[in-house]
Amino acid sequence: MIAEAGARQAQPASAGIPEATDGETIHTNANWTDVTPRLSILVPTYKDSANQLLSMLAACHYAEAVEIIVYDDGSQDIALTNAMRESVDAFPGAACLITAEHNKGRSAGRNRLQASSRAPWLVFLDADMIPDDEGFIVRYLKCVQDDSAPRLVVGGFSMKLTPFSSKTDLHRAQSERSECMAASVRSEEPGRYVFTSNVLAHRDIMNAVPFDPAFSGWGWEDVEWGIRVSRQYPVEHIDNSATHLGLDTAQDLLRKYEQSGANFWLAVERHPDVMEQTPLFRMASMFSQVPGRFLIREVSRYVSRMPVWLMPRAIRLLALKTFRAAVYGGARHART
């Protein structure tokens, strides 16, 4: 089933097909109107296929009890769209693909997914993530069955199923150090470790605390959202991890850092009490006052991109950290 529409205001989803807006195309599978979902699994994507994720979720226990909504944020790739439609049609539960005409950004995409969903509990799962085992859906269902009170539940992040590649080894090492943590560790600072690549939220939270569309491009919109949620609702961490498959090369990771400086300082403006306590803030603030930060940035860029056989990974990680701080320092200097 396909629905198309022009520029109309999106409305909360009902039992029917979500209402298209702003030139979107909406495709639902044959199960859509027959399923009353207990969970809505919401998948934002841009120029990446969600097919492997859909396939893995289809193999999970109780897949027929959920709905999956994929939001393609303006990829404008007909072949990609057709392939994801086939995966949507094959999913054993309810499934929907919303294809946006133009890119609107990560915050707007997640808000659109929430508005299209029907279940009281929502799982945000990035397209380049896959569940680590077949009990992924069951564990989240148990969470909502055991305690129906509105809260945020963070499942966790892993590299368990990510194939090793020398091209992405730096991103892998950075993720293992800063993101792949057990629930017991994340629980020590629950608001800080909210990764929207794999998180369960009650609908009341999304209605009260939507993602901030002022964050454009890549980076920090999820951290800022997690801080706001933690001020109003409980944040619980559990071990229900998903693997991040979409690791970046060092060059692509450096490029993303270069694009995220404005978002970082916007997060600092929104939550200075939290952000100013981070080592990154202190380093970036220092670099904003250093006249030679351009040279430091370029040297650290060069070292970060060196192959592991030529430069130890620990030094490349330090260079990556220094590069981001120097870039953010420059972004702060440009704002003043």
Side-chain angles (χ1 to χ4, degrees), residues 41 43 49-61 63 68 70 83-84 86-93 95 125 127 129-131 133-134 137 245:
I41 300 179
V43 183
S49 173
N51 288 349
Q52 188 168 2
L53 171 59
L54 284 163
S55 177
M56 292 294 290
L57 287 169
C60 287
H61 304 304
I68 294 181
V70 179
M84 287 197 291
E86 291 179 2
S87 293
V88 162
D89 288 339
F91 187 72
L125 198 59
M129 304 285 287
I130 57 172
D133 59 60
E134 295 178 349
I137 292 174
L245 296 177

PDB file of all heavy atoms in Angstrom, residues 41 43 49-61 63 68 70 83-84 86-93 95 125 127 129-131 133-134 137 245:
ATOM      1  N   ILE A  41       9.524  -0.048  16.449  1.00  0.00           N
ATOM      2  CA  ILE A  41      10.963   0.055  16.222  1.00  0.00           C
ATOM      3  C   ILE A  41      11.173   1.059  15.101  1.00  0.00           C
ATOM      4  O   ILE A  41      10.713   0.855  13.966  1.00  0.00           O
ATOM      5  CB  ILE A  41      11.584  -1.302  15.876  1.00  0.00           C
ATOM      6  CG1 ILE A  41      11.348  -2.287  17.035  1.00  0.00           C
ATOM      7  CG2 ILE A  41      13.075  -1.167  15.582  1.00  0.00           C
ATOM      8  CD1 ILE A  41      11.904  -3.670  16.803  1.00  0.00           C
ATOM      9  N   VAL A  43      13.496   3.491  12.698  1.00  0.00           N
ATOM     10  CA  VAL A  43      14.813   3.398  12.067  1.00  0.00           C
ATOM     11  C   VAL A  43      15.032   4.582  11.127  1.00  0.00           C
ATOM     12  O   VAL A  43      14.496   4.607  10.014  1.00  0.00           O
ATOM     13  CB  VAL A  43      14.948   2.074  11.285  1.00  0.00           C
ATOM     14  CG1 VAL A  43      16.355   1.945  10.686  1.00  0.00           C
ATOM     15  CG2 VAL A  43      14.609   0.868  12.163  1.00  0.00           C
ATOM     16  N   SER A  49      21.243   1.375   3.578  1.00  0.00           N
ATOM     17  CA  SER A  49      20.176   0.387   3.551  1.00  0.00           C
ATOM     18  C   SER A  49      19.858  -0.106   4.954  1.00  0.00           C
ATOM     19  O   SER A  49      20.759  -0.341   5.762  1.00  0.00           O
ATOM     20  CB  SER A  49      20.575  -0.795   2.665  1.00  0.00           C
ATOM     21  OG  SER A  49      19.611  -1.823   2.752  1.00  0.00           O
ATOM     22  N   ALA A  50      18.578  -0.282   5.229  1.00  0.00           N
ATOM     23  CA  ALA A  50      18.142  -0.882   6.493  1.00  0.00           C
ATOM     24  C   ALA A  50      17.817  -2.361   6.322  1.00  0.00           C
ATOM     25  O   ALA A  50      17.266  -2.983   7.234  1.00  0.00           O
ATOM     26  CB  ALA A  50      16.917  -0.143   7.026  1.00  0.00           C
ATOM     27  N   ASN A  51      18.179  -2.944   5.184  1.00  0.00           N
ATOM     28  CA  ASN A  51      17.764  -4.312   4.878  1.00  0.00           C
ATOM     29  C   ASN A  51      18.353  -5.344   5.825  1.00  0.00           C
ATOM     30  O   ASN A  51      17.665  -6.286   6.231  1.00  0.00           O
ATOM     31  CB  ASN A  51      18.134  -4.659   3.431  1.00  0.00           C
ATOM     32  CG  ASN A  51      17.246  -3.944   2.431  1.00  0.00           C
ATOM     33  OD1 ASN A  51      16.239  -3.352   2.807  1.00  0.00           O
ATOM     34  ND2 ASN A  51      17.614  -3.986   1.171  1.00  0.00           N
ATOM     35  N   GLN A  52      19.628  -5.210   6.171  1.00  0.00           N
ATOM     36  CA  GLN A  52      20.226  -6.192   7.068  1.00  0.00           C
ATOM     37  C   GLN A  52      19.592  -6.119   8.455  1.00  0.00           C
ATOM     38  O   GLN A  52      19.337  -7.147   9.088  1.00  0.00           O
ATOM     39  CB  GLN A  52      21.742  -5.988   7.164  1.00  0.00           C
ATOM     40  CG  GLN A  52      22.450  -7.095   7.924  1.00  0.00           C
ATOM     41  CD  GLN A  52      23.955  -7.048   7.784  1.00  0.00           C
ATOM     42  OE1 GLN A  52      24.515  -6.163   7.142  1.00  0.00           O
ATOM     43  NE2 GLN A  52      24.642  -7.997   8.395  1.00  0.00           N
ATOM     44  N   LEU A  53      19.307  -4.910   8.910  1.00  0.00           N
ATOM     45  CA  LEU A  53      18.623  -4.746  10.188  1.00  0.00           C
ATOM     46  C   LEU A  53      17.233  -5.382  10.144  1.00  0.00           C
ATOM     47  O   LEU A  53      16.839  -6.115  11.066  1.00  0.00           O
ATOM     48  CB  LEU A  53      18.513  -3.270  10.541  1.00  0.00           C
ATOM     49  CG  LEU A  53      17.629  -2.918  11.744  1.00  0.00           C
ATOM     50  CD1 LEU A  53      18.128  -3.609  13.004  1.00  0.00           C
ATOM     51  CD2 LEU A  53      17.578  -1.408  11.947  1.00  0.00           C
ATOM     52  N   LEU A  54      16.479  -5.134   9.086  1.00  0.00           N
ATOM     53  CA  LEU A  54      15.147  -5.711   8.961  1.00  0.00           C
ATOM     54  C   LEU A  54      15.206  -7.236   8.956  1.00  0.00           C
ATOM     55  O   LEU A  54      14.376  -7.909   9.588  1.00  0.00           O
ATOM     56  CB  LEU A  54      14.480  -5.204   7.682  1.00  0.00           C
ATOM     57  CG  LEU A  54      13.948  -3.761   7.736  1.00  0.00           C
ATOM     58  CD1 LEU A  54      13.702  -3.237   6.339  1.00  0.00           C
ATOM     59  CD2 LEU A  54      12.664  -3.705   8.553  1.00  0.00           C
ATOM     60  N   SER A  55      16.194  -7.775   8.274  1.00  0.00           N
ATOM     61  CA  SER A  55      16.344  -9.222   8.224  1.00  0.00           C
ATOM     62  C   SER A  55      16.657  -9.808   9.605  1.00  0.00           C
ATOM     63  O   SER A  55      16.086 -10.832  10.009  1.00  0.00           O
ATOM     64  CB  SER A  55      17.460  -9.588   7.236  1.00  0.00           C
ATOM     65  OG  SER A  55      17.677 -10.976   7.208  1.00  0.00           O
ATOM     66  N   MET A  56      17.549  -9.155  10.345  1.00  0.00           N
ATOM     67  CA  MET A  56      17.902  -9.639  11.679  1.00  0.00           C
ATOM     68  C   MET A  56      16.723  -9.509  12.641  1.00  0.00           C
ATOM     69  O   MET A  56      16.483 -10.386  13.476  1.00  0.00           O
ATOM     70  CB  MET A  56      19.110  -8.870  12.203  1.00  0.00           C
ATOM     71  CG  MET A  56      20.399  -9.149  11.455  1.00  0.00           C
ATOM     72  SD  MET A  56      20.979 -10.851  11.674  1.00  0.00           S
ATOM     73  CE  MET A  56      21.480 -10.815  13.398  1.00  0.00           C
ATOM     74  N   LEU A  57      15.986  -8.415  12.568  1.00  0.00           N
ATOM     75  CA  LEU A  57      14.820  -8.243  13.434  1.00  0.00           C
ATOM     76  C   LEU A  57      13.739  -9.273  13.112  1.00  0.00           C
ATOM     77  O   LEU A  57      13.037  -9.750  14.007  1.00  0.00           O
ATOM     78  CB  LEU A  57      14.260  -6.828  13.292  1.00  0.00           C
ATOM     79  CG  LEU A  57      15.090  -5.721  13.942  1.00  0.00           C
ATOM     80  CD1 LEU A  57      14.580  -4.354  13.510  1.00  0.00           C
ATOM     81  CD2 LEU A  57      15.060  -5.834  15.472  1.00  0.00           C
ATOM     82  N   ALA A  58      13.611  -9.615  11.831  1.00  0.00           N
ATOM     83  CA  ALA A  58      12.625 -10.622  11.436  1.00  0.00           C
ATOM     84  C   ALA A  58      12.927 -11.978  12.070  1.00  0.00           C
ATOM     85  O   ALA A  58      12.015 -12.785  12.315  1.00  0.00           O
ATOM     86  CB  ALA A  58      12.587 -10.753   9.915  1.00  0.00           C
ATOM     87  N   ALA A  59      14.222 -12.233  12.346  1.00  0.00           N
ATOM     88  CA  ALA A  59      14.627 -13.502  12.944  1.00  0.00           C
ATOM     89  C   ALA A  59      14.518 -13.498  14.466  1.00  0.00           C
ATOM     90  O   ALA A  59      14.698 -14.543  15.104  1.00  0.00           O
ATOM     91  CB  ALA A  59      16.062 -13.829  12.528  1.00  0.00           C
ATOM     92  N   CYS A  60      14.238 -12.344  15.060  1.00  0.00           N
ATOM     93  CA  CYS A  60      14.123 -12.253  16.519  1.00  0.00           C
ATOM     94  C   CYS A  60      12.798 -12.850  16.999  1.00  0.00           C
ATOM     95  O   CYS A  60      11.784 -12.802  16.285  1.00  0.00           O
ATOM     96  CB  CYS A  60      14.208 -10.791  16.971  1.00  0.00           C
ATOM     97  SG  CYS A  60      15.862 -10.074  16.871  1.00  0.00           S
ATOM     98  N   HIS A  61      12.803 -13.383  18.201  1.00  0.00           N
ATOM     99  CA  HIS A  61      11.569 -13.880  18.799  1.00  0.00           C
ATOM    100  C   HIS A  61      10.580 -12.723  18.995  1.00  0.00           C
ATOM    101  O   HIS A  61      10.961 -11.620  19.344  1.00  0.00           O
ATOM    102  CB  HIS A  61      11.867 -14.530  20.148  1.00  0.00           C
ATOM    103  CG  HIS A  61      12.879 -15.639  20.063  1.00  0.00           C
ATOM    104  ND1 HIS A  61      12.719 -16.732  19.235  1.00  0.00           N
ATOM    105  CD2 HIS A  61      14.060 -15.823  20.706  1.00  0.00           C
ATOM    106  CE1 HIS A  61      13.753 -17.546  19.369  1.00  0.00           C
ATOM    107  NE2 HIS A  61      14.581 -17.014  20.252  1.00  0.00           N
ATOM    108  N   ALA A  63       8.926 -11.104  16.726  1.00  0.00           N
ATOM    109  CA  ALA A  63       8.977 -10.072  15.687  1.00  0.00           C
ATOM    110  C   ALA A  63       7.581  -9.693  15.200  1.00  0.00           C
ATOM    111  O   ALA A  63       7.334  -8.551  14.797  1.00  0.00           O
ATOM    112  CB  ALA A  63       9.829 -10.547  14.509  1.00  0.00           C
ATOM    113  N   ILE A  68       7.792  -1.968  12.523  1.00  0.00           N
ATOM    114  CA  ILE A  68       9.037  -1.302  12.163  1.00  0.00           C
ATOM    115  C   ILE A  68       8.704  -0.193  11.179  1.00  0.00           C
ATOM    116  O   ILE A  68       7.980  -0.403  10.206  1.00  0.00           O
ATOM    117  CB  ILE A  68      10.040  -2.275  11.535  1.00  0.00           C
ATOM    118  CG1 ILE A  68      10.492  -3.303  12.554  1.00  0.00           C
ATOM    119  CG2 ILE A  68      11.250  -1.531  10.984  1.00  0.00           C
ATOM    120  CD1 ILE A  68      11.502  -4.287  12.016  1.00  0.00           C
ATOM    121  N   VAL A  70      10.725   2.618   8.910  1.00  0.00           N
ATOM    122  CA  VAL A  70      11.997   3.127   8.398  1.00  0.00           C
ATOM    123  C   VAL A  70      11.738   4.488   7.760  1.00  0.00           C
ATOM    124  O   VAL A  70      10.819   4.628   6.951  1.00  0.00           O
ATOM    125  CB  VAL A  70      12.609   2.165   7.356  1.00  0.00           C
ATOM    126  CG1 VAL A  70      13.924   2.725   6.810  1.00  0.00           C
ATOM    127  CG2 VAL A  70      12.821   0.780   7.961  1.00  0.00           C
ATOM    128  N   ALA A  83      14.683  -1.689  -2.873  1.00  0.00           N
ATOM    129  CA  ALA A  83      15.217  -2.800  -2.077  1.00  0.00           C
ATOM    130  C   ALA A  83      14.634  -2.785  -0.666  1.00  0.00           C
ATOM    131  O   ALA A  83      14.296  -3.845  -0.110  1.00  0.00           O
ATOM    132  CB  ALA A  83      16.741  -2.713  -2.032  1.00  0.00           C
ATOM    133  N   MET A  84      14.498  -1.601  -0.071  1.00  0.00           N
ATOM    134  CA  MET A  84      13.942  -1.537   1.278  1.00  0.00           C
ATOM    135  C   MET A  84      12.445  -1.846   1.268  1.00  0.00           C
ATOM    136  O   MET A  84      11.919  -2.408   2.238  1.00  0.00           O
ATOM    137  CB  MET A  84      14.242  -0.175   1.910  1.00  0.00           C
ATOM    138  CG  MET A  84      15.699  -0.021   2.301  1.00  0.00           C
ATOM    139  SD  MET A  84      16.051   1.325   3.472  1.00  0.00           S
ATOM    140  CE  MET A  84      15.733   2.771   2.439  1.00  0.00           C
ATOM    141  N   GLU A  86      11.073  -4.108  -0.552  1.00  0.00           N
ATOM    142  CA  GLU A  86      11.011  -5.569  -0.562  1.00  0.00           C
ATOM    143  C   GLU A  86      11.226  -6.133   0.846  1.00  0.00           C
ATOM    144  O   GLU A  86      10.545  -7.083   1.250  1.00  0.00           O
ATOM    145  CB  GLU A  86      12.058  -6.124  -1.531  1.00  0.00           C
ATOM    146  CG  GLU A  86      11.755  -5.827  -2.992  1.00  0.00           C
ATOM    147  CD  GLU A  86      12.820  -6.378  -3.922  1.00  0.00           C
ATOM    148  OE1 GLU A  86      13.773  -7.028  -3.430  1.00  0.00           O
ATOM    149  OE2 GLU A  86      12.711  -6.148  -5.142  1.00  0.00           O
ATOM    150  N   SER A  87      12.160  -5.544   1.590  1.00  0.00           N
ATOM    151  CA  SER A  87      12.401  -6.007   2.959  1.00  0.00           C
ATOM    152  C   SER A  87      11.216  -5.695   3.864  1.00  0.00           C
ATOM    153  O   SER A  87      10.874  -6.485   4.751  1.00  0.00           O
ATOM    154  CB  SER A  87      13.676  -5.355   3.513  1.00  0.00           C
ATOM    155  OG  SER A  87      14.811  -5.818   2.834  1.00  0.00           O
ATOM    156  N   VAL A  88      10.600  -4.549   3.666  1.00  0.00           N
ATOM    157  CA  VAL A  88       9.405  -4.183   4.424  1.00  0.00           C
ATOM    158  C   VAL A  88       8.285  -5.185   4.155  1.00  0.00           C
ATOM    159  O   VAL A  88       7.603  -5.656   5.067  1.00  0.00           O
ATOM    160  CB  VAL A  88       8.969  -2.749   4.064  1.00  0.00           C
ATOM    161  CG1 VAL A  88       7.521  -2.488   4.475  1.00  0.00           C
ATOM    162  CG2 VAL A  88       9.886  -1.735   4.731  1.00  0.00           C
ATOM    163  N   ASP A  89       8.094  -5.551   2.890  1.00  0.00           N
ATOM    164  CA  ASP A  89       7.045  -6.501   2.533  1.00  0.00           C
ATOM    165  C   ASP A  89       7.288  -7.873   3.155  1.00  0.00           C
ATOM    166  O   ASP A  89       6.333  -8.598   3.473  1.00  0.00           O
ATOM    167  CB  ASP A  89       6.956  -6.642   1.011  1.00  0.00           C
ATOM    168  CG  ASP A  89       6.359  -5.411   0.349  1.00  0.00           C
ATOM    169  OD1 ASP A  89       5.669  -4.644   1.041  1.00  0.00           O
ATOM    170  OD2 ASP A  89       6.600  -5.218  -0.864  1.00  0.00           O
ATOM    171  N   ALA A  90       8.555  -8.247   3.328  1.00  0.00           N
ATOM    172  CA  ALA A  90       8.888  -9.577   3.843  1.00  0.00           C
ATOM    173  C   ALA A  90       8.856  -9.654   5.362  1.00  0.00           C
ATOM    174  O   ALA A  90       8.898 -10.757   5.915  1.00  0.00           O
ATOM    175  CB  ALA A  90      10.272  -9.990   3.335  1.00  0.00           C
ATOM    176  N   PHE A  91       8.763  -8.529   6.062  1.00  0.00           N
ATOM    177  CA  PHE A  91       8.831  -8.552   7.513  1.00  0.00           C
ATOM    178  C   PHE A  91       7.586  -9.223   8.089  1.00  0.00           C
ATOM    179  O   PHE A  91       6.466  -8.937   7.659  1.00  0.00           O
ATOM    180  CB  PHE A  91       8.964  -7.133   8.056  1.00  0.00           C
ATOM    181  CG  PHE A  91       9.217  -7.080   9.533  1.00  0.00           C
ATOM    182  CD1 PHE A  91      10.451  -7.446  10.043  1.00  0.00           C
ATOM    183  CD2 PHE A  91       8.219  -6.693  10.419  1.00  0.00           C
ATOM    184  CE1 PHE A  91      10.690  -7.427  11.416  1.00  0.00           C
ATOM    185  CE2 PHE A  91       8.446  -6.664  11.776  1.00  0.00           C
ATOM    186  CZ  PHE A  91       9.693  -7.030  12.277  1.00  0.00           C
ATOM    187  N   PRO A  92       7.743 -10.120   9.100  1.00  0.00           N
ATOM    188  CA  PRO A  92       6.588 -10.869   9.621  1.00  0.00           C
ATOM    189  C   PRO A  92       5.629 -10.048  10.460  1.00  0.00           C
ATOM    190  O   PRO A  92       4.469 -10.446  10.652  1.00  0.00           O
ATOM    191  CB  PRO A  92       7.238 -11.963  10.470  1.00  0.00           C
ATOM    192  CG  PRO A  92       8.575 -11.421  10.842  1.00  0.00           C
ATOM    193  CD  PRO A  92       9.007 -10.592   9.674  1.00  0.00           C
ATOM    194  N   GLY A  93       6.057  -8.928  10.995  1.00  0.00           N
ATOM    195  CA  GLY A  93       5.158  -8.032  11.714  1.00  0.00           C
ATOM    196  C   GLY A  93       4.705  -6.910  10.793  1.00  0.00           C
ATOM    197  O   GLY A  93       4.727  -7.027   9.567  1.00  0.00           O
ATOM    198  N   ALA A  95       5.202  -3.340   9.033  1.00  0.00           N
ATOM    199  CA  ALA A  95       6.381  -2.594   8.607  1.00  0.00           C
ATOM    200  C   ALA A  95       5.981  -1.504   7.634  1.00  0.00           C
ATOM    201  O   ALA A  95       5.014  -1.641   6.867  1.00  0.00           O
ATOM    202  CB  ALA A  95       7.420  -3.511   7.974  1.00  0.00           C
ATOM    203  N   LEU A 125      16.479   2.715  16.676  1.00  0.00           N
ATOM    204  CA  LEU A 125      17.556   1.816  16.284  1.00  0.00           C
ATOM    205  C   LEU A 125      18.092   2.287  14.933  1.00  0.00           C
ATOM    206  O   LEU A 125      17.350   2.347  13.949  1.00  0.00           O
ATOM    207  CB  LEU A 125      17.019   0.387  16.179  1.00  0.00           C
ATOM    208  CG  LEU A 125      17.994  -0.778  16.183  1.00  0.00           C
ATOM    209  CD1 LEU A 125      18.834  -0.811  17.453  1.00  0.00           C
ATOM    210  CD2 LEU A 125      17.235  -2.087  16.014  1.00  0.00           C
ATOM    211  N   ALA A 127      19.971   2.439  11.319  1.00  0.00           N
ATOM    212  CA  ALA A 127      19.923   1.477  10.220  1.00  0.00           C
ATOM    213  C   ALA A 127      21.173   0.625  10.135  1.00  0.00           C
ATOM    214  O   ALA A 127      21.125  -0.495   9.599  1.00  0.00           O
ATOM    215  CB  ALA A 127      19.702   2.214   8.894  1.00  0.00           C
ATOM    216  N   MET A 129      22.758  -0.643  12.647  1.00  0.00           N
ATOM    217  CA  MET A 129      22.835  -1.481  13.847  1.00  0.00           C
ATOM    218  C   MET A 129      22.098  -2.794  13.581  1.00  0.00           C
ATOM    219  O   MET A 129      21.137  -2.836  12.807  1.00  0.00           O
ATOM    220  CB  MET A 129      22.188  -0.778  15.033  1.00  0.00           C
ATOM    221  CG  MET A 129      22.749   0.586  15.359  1.00  0.00           C
ATOM    222  SD  MET A 129      24.345   0.547  16.175  1.00  0.00           S
ATOM    223  CE  MET A 129      23.873  -0.013  17.822  1.00  0.00           C
ATOM    224  N   ILE A 130      22.550  -3.872  14.241  1.00  0.00           N
ATOM    225  CA  ILE A 130      21.808  -5.130  14.212  1.00  0.00           C
ATOM    226  C   ILE A 130      21.812  -5.725  15.615  1.00  0.00           C
ATOM    227  O   ILE A 130      22.789  -5.586  16.351  1.00  0.00           O
ATOM    228  CB  ILE A 130      22.382  -6.152  13.209  1.00  0.00           C
ATOM    229  CG1 ILE A 130      23.850  -6.461  13.509  1.00  0.00           C
ATOM    230  CG2 ILE A 130      22.198  -5.681  11.784  1.00  0.00           C
ATOM    231  CD1 ILE A 130      24.400  -7.608  12.671  1.00  0.00           C
ATOM    232  N   PRO A 131      20.707  -6.364  16.037  1.00  0.00           N
ATOM    233  CA  PRO A 131      20.662  -6.977  17.366  1.00  0.00           C
ATOM    234  C   PRO A 131      21.762  -8.017  17.525  1.00  0.00           C
ATOM    235  O   PRO A 131      22.104  -8.734  16.582  1.00  0.00           O
ATOM    236  CB  PRO A 131      19.278  -7.628  17.409  1.00  0.00           C
ATOM    237  CG  PRO A 131      18.480  -6.919  16.369  1.00  0.00           C
ATOM    238  CD  PRO A 131      19.445  -6.540  15.296  1.00  0.00           C
ATOM    239  N   ASP A 133      21.567 -10.701  19.368  1.00  0.00           N
ATOM    240  CA  ASP A 133      21.028 -12.062  19.424  1.00  0.00           C
ATOM    241  C   ASP A 133      19.517 -12.007  19.232  1.00  0.00           C
ATOM    242  O   ASP A 133      18.917 -10.927  19.158  1.00  0.00           O
ATOM    243  CB  ASP A 133      21.387 -12.757  20.744  1.00  0.00           C
ATOM    244  CG  ASP A 133      20.882 -12.011  21.969  1.00  0.00           C
ATOM    245  OD1 ASP A 133      19.666 -11.823  22.083  1.00  0.00           O
ATOM    246  OD2 ASP A 133      21.723 -11.610  22.809  1.00  0.00           O
ATOM    247  N   GLU A 134      18.901 -13.182  19.173  1.00  0.00           N
ATOM    248  CA  GLU A 134      17.474 -13.273  18.859  1.00  0.00           C
ATOM    249  C   GLU A 134      16.565 -12.859  20.008  1.00  0.00           C
ATOM    250  O   GLU A 134      15.350 -12.745  19.826  1.00  0.00           O
ATOM    251  CB  GLU A 134      17.134 -14.704  18.427  1.00  0.00           C
ATOM    252  CG  GLU A 134      17.809 -15.113  17.120  1.00  0.00           C
ATOM    253  CD  GLU A 134      17.505 -16.546  16.735  1.00  0.00           C
ATOM    254  OE1 GLU A 134      16.950 -17.280  17.586  1.00  0.00           O
ATOM    255  OE2 GLU A 134      17.815 -16.933  15.600  1.00  0.00           O
ATOM    256  N   ILE A 137      14.227  -8.328  20.977  1.00  0.00           N
ATOM    257  CA  ILE A 137      12.864  -7.811  21.120  1.00  0.00           C
ATOM    258  C   ILE A 137      12.251  -8.286  22.439  1.00  0.00           C
ATOM    259  O   ILE A 137      11.579  -7.519  23.143  1.00  0.00           O
ATOM    260  CB  ILE A 137      11.990  -8.240  19.932  1.00  0.00           C
ATOM    261  CG1 ILE A 137      12.463  -7.526  18.650  1.00  0.00           C
ATOM    262  CG2 ILE A 137      10.515  -7.932  20.192  1.00  0.00           C
ATOM    263  CD1 ILE A 137      11.745  -7.999  17.397  1.00  0.00           C
ATOM    264  N   LEU A 245      27.460  -1.745  12.754  1.00  0.00           N
ATOM    265  CA  LEU A 245      28.152  -2.235  11.561  1.00  0.00           C
ATOM    266  C   LEU A 245      28.779  -1.114  10.739  1.00  0.00           C
ATOM    267  O   LEU A 245      29.773  -1.326  10.056  1.00  0.00           O
ATOM    268  CB  LEU A 245      27.175  -3.014  10.672  1.00  0.00           C
ATOM    269  CG  LEU A 245      26.583  -4.297  11.239  1.00  0.00           C
ATOM    270  CD1 LEU A 245      25.584  -4.876  10.249  1.00  0.00           C
ATOM    271  CD2 LEU A 245      27.675  -5.311  11.543  1.00  0.00           C
TER     272      LEU A 245
END
